[in-house]
Amino acid sequence: MNRTALALLLATGLTASPAMAQQQHDHVNQAAAQQQEHAGHMMQDPEAITAHREKMGEMRALMQQARAASDPAERQRLMAEHREKMQEHMAGMMQGDNAGMMAACHQRMTMMDDMMEQMAAQQGMAQND
């Protein structure tokens, strides 16, 4: 009886696999197309990219200074300044045209998380066999 159930599960899994693979492939292609579309939009605004890189450089410098600081009070001050700059930059990214880009990015990340969850579940099932 166990062999019959195992054979049935295996046959069901094999017939479902191509459909699942096609569905996963479609999701990946859709996400890639959306990413290219939004990347193209970002590349149209070199000033925004330059400003973003400058802000990231400032934040990296603050983090490096905080790591190098030997005085705990100075480290805390630098970390607070870093946190403030990071929050300001995130708030700026959520305004105007960037809001749509951020929403699309969130959507892609959610889709990728869903895919990773399914892949982990599939690997877990394969390891249990």
Side-chain angles (χ1 to χ4, degrees):
M1 187 68 169
N2 284 341
R3 286 185 178 186
T4 305
L6 180 60
L8 180 60
L9 284 172
L10 183 58
T12 304
L14 289 176
T15 58
S17 293
M20 287 176 56
Q22 182 62 43
Q23 185 179 21
Q24 288 175 350
H25 182 71
D26 292 345
H27 282 293
V28 170
N29 283 343
Q30 182 182 15
Q34 287 177 347
Q35 185 176 13
Q36 287 176 349
E37 177 184 329
H38 290 288
H41 175 70
M42 281 184 61
M43 295 307 288
Q44 293 174 0
D45 191 0
E47 291 177 10
I49 293 170
T50 301
H52 169 74
R53 287 184 178 153
E54 287 174 2
K55 290 175 185 176
M56 292 303 296
E58 291 172 9
M59 286 186 279
R60 285 185 186 106
L62 282 169
M63 184 58 71
Q64 189 175 28
Q65 290 171 6
R67 286 182 179 140
S70 57
D71 179 29
E74 177 67 4
R75 185 179 304 119
Q76 280 187 328
R77 184 193 69 75
L78 290 165
M79 290 301 293
E81 187 177 347
H82 176 271
R83 185 173 35 258
E84 183 179 315
K85 285 196 179 289
M86 191 169 54
Q87 289 172 347
E88 287 172 3
H89 188 49
M90 288 296 291
M93 289 171 59
M94 297 303 290
Q95 296 175 352
D97 290 340
N98 291 327
M101 180 187 69
M102 292 298 286
C105 183
H106 181 264
Q107 182 182 17
R108 284 193 309 277
M109 292 300 290
T110 300
M111 289 171 42
M112 293 304 291
D113 185 53
D114 290 345
M115 292 298 296
M116 294 300 288
E117 182 180 304
Q118 290 300 308
M119 290 169 65
Q122 189 177 34
Q123 282 184 334
M125 290 297 291
Q127 289 176 354
N128 289 334
D129 288 340

